[in-house]
């Protein structure tokens, strides 16, 4: 379920899908290239290959980010190391992508939950700086563009500048950042890879990767539930999902947390300690321990071809705590996402932005969205919110027998 342009060298799925794929200590598969060591960096790096440097940096900081507790964050000491990487990247562009990824993935929040806004700005600047370091500002052949991860460099720079502008308290500074993000979007659209799909993009938040995969078919950040058979099915069975989840949550043995710890799902998108994930099925692998506790939930999901016949399917329960946020991020193509708020006791207190759309979670009402658009989440309430999150086959995907129909018009049913 990864993009064809996914980096080959130790690039974590967390940036695109929310779950880390390189456990600490596992062989990164990095290529053998000439490297150097300097006193102010904790890892060796290549003077010439920035993708190698990204892999080494992500591998090092990821090992220190995921600790044994429930609050995943870099320590203050490691945040200082990340800042030293930032400073060296300003001198050596070959380190720009490495620094941008570390600041974006692991240095957005302090362990306390405080947003480190200067790190977000530095990540945006360094993603932009990495564009020139890899010649992604030139009219490269498409294969080379993909191999150099030019998509990632351009799209994340544009997305982050736009987010910074929209959340800036100073109106003039905010307008300048939005304008800069817009300029980066126009630069991206100047490459032949985006020339056609980008014609309708007027803001960085309209960037999406399903459009690249399925050109010429309707592209929407959110889809009406009535058009999506899976969404209607989930709503019809909400009471059954809730009954089994409620039993797990109310078990005095803290079964939900035991399931989470036993499965070991990891993410770095949310406020530290603010988002717990319990797997139901991931890439065809069902979580047997969960299915023993919630047999009807698994039976219902197994009955859907959009789930069982999808090679890259993910279905998880996600618990979002009050005062928690998920940073803006892109998901993987080709897929769509369905959120069923199974337990959401506070209407209008938790919501999501997807592209240009803003939506709230109402218990029992599904939100279907294209998570290859930039999207972010906030919870302003006082009680945890539990969502059944399913990544399912895009209806225009011809590689899986998912039983859906590819829409030819935005109002067509799947």
């Amino acid at each position: 379920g990864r993009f064809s342009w996914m980096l080959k060298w130790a690039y974590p799925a967390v940036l695109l899908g929310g779950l880390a794929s390189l456990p600490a200590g596992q062989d990164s598969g990095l290529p053998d290239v000439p490297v150097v060591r300097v006193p102010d960096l904790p890892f060796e790096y290549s003077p010439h290959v920035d993708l190698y440097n990204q892999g080494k940096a992500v591998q090092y900081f990821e090992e220190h980010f995921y600790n044994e507790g429930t609050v995943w964050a870099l320590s203050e000491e490691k945040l200082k190391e990340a800042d030293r990487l930032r400073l060296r990247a300003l001198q050596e562009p070959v380190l720009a992508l490495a620094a941008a990824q570390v600041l974006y993935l692991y240095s957005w929040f302090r362990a306390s939950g405080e947003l480190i806004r200067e790190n977000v700005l530095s990540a945006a600047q360094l993603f932009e700086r990495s564009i020139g370091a890899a010649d992604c500002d030139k009219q490269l052949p498409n294969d080379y563009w993909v191999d150099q991860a030019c998509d990632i460099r351009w799209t994340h720079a544009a997305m982050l500048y736009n987010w910074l502008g929209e959340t800036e308290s100073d109106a003039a500074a905010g307008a300048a950042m939005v304008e800069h993000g817009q300029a980066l979007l126009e630069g991206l659209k100047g490459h032949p890879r985006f020339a056609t799909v980008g014609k309708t993009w007027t803001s960085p938040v309209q960037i999406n990767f399903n459009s690249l995969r399925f050109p010429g078919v309707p592209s929407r950040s959110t889809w009406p539930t009535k058009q999506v058979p899976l969404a209607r099915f989930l709503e019809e069975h909400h009471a059954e999902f809730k009954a089994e989840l409620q039993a797990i949550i109310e078990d005095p043995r803290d079964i939900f947390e035991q399931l989470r710890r036993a499965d070991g799902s990891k993410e770095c998108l949310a406020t530290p300690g603010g988002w717990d994930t319990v797997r139901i099925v991931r890439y065809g692998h069902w979580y047997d321990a969960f299915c023993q506790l919630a047999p009807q939930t698994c039976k219902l999901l197994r009955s859907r071809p959009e789930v069982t016949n999808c090679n890259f399917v993910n279905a998880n329960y996600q618990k979002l705590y009050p005062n928690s946020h998920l940073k803006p991020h892109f998901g993987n193509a080709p897929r769509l996402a369905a959120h069923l708020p199974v337990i959401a006791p506070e209407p209008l207190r938790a919501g999501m932005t997807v592209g240009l759309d803003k939506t709230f979670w109402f218990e029992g009402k599904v939100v279907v969205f294209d998570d290859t658009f930039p999207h972010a989440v906030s919870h302003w309430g006082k009680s945890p919110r539990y969502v059944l999150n399913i990544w399912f086959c895009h209806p225009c995907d011809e590689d899986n027998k998912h039983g859906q129909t590819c829409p030819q018009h935005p109002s067509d049913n799947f």
Side-chain angles (χ1 to χ4, degrees), residues 324-347:
S324 295
H325 310 274
L326 270 66
K327 68 187 76 167
H329 59 286
F330 295 99
N332 294 356
R335 73 181 187 209
L336 295 178
H339 278 188
L340 172 65
V342 177
I343 299 176
E346 300 169 286

Side-chain angles (χ1 to χ4, degrees), residues 341-371:
V342 177
I343 299 176
E346 300 169 286
L348 305 180
R349 303 303 294 172
M352 175 172 58
T353 59
V354 188
L356 293 171
D357 292 337
K358 291 178 172 56
T359 184
F360 292 95
W361 286 287
F362 294 90
E363 186 169 304
K365 301 299 181 182
V366 170
V367 177
V368 178
F369 64 101
D370 183 340
D371 78 335

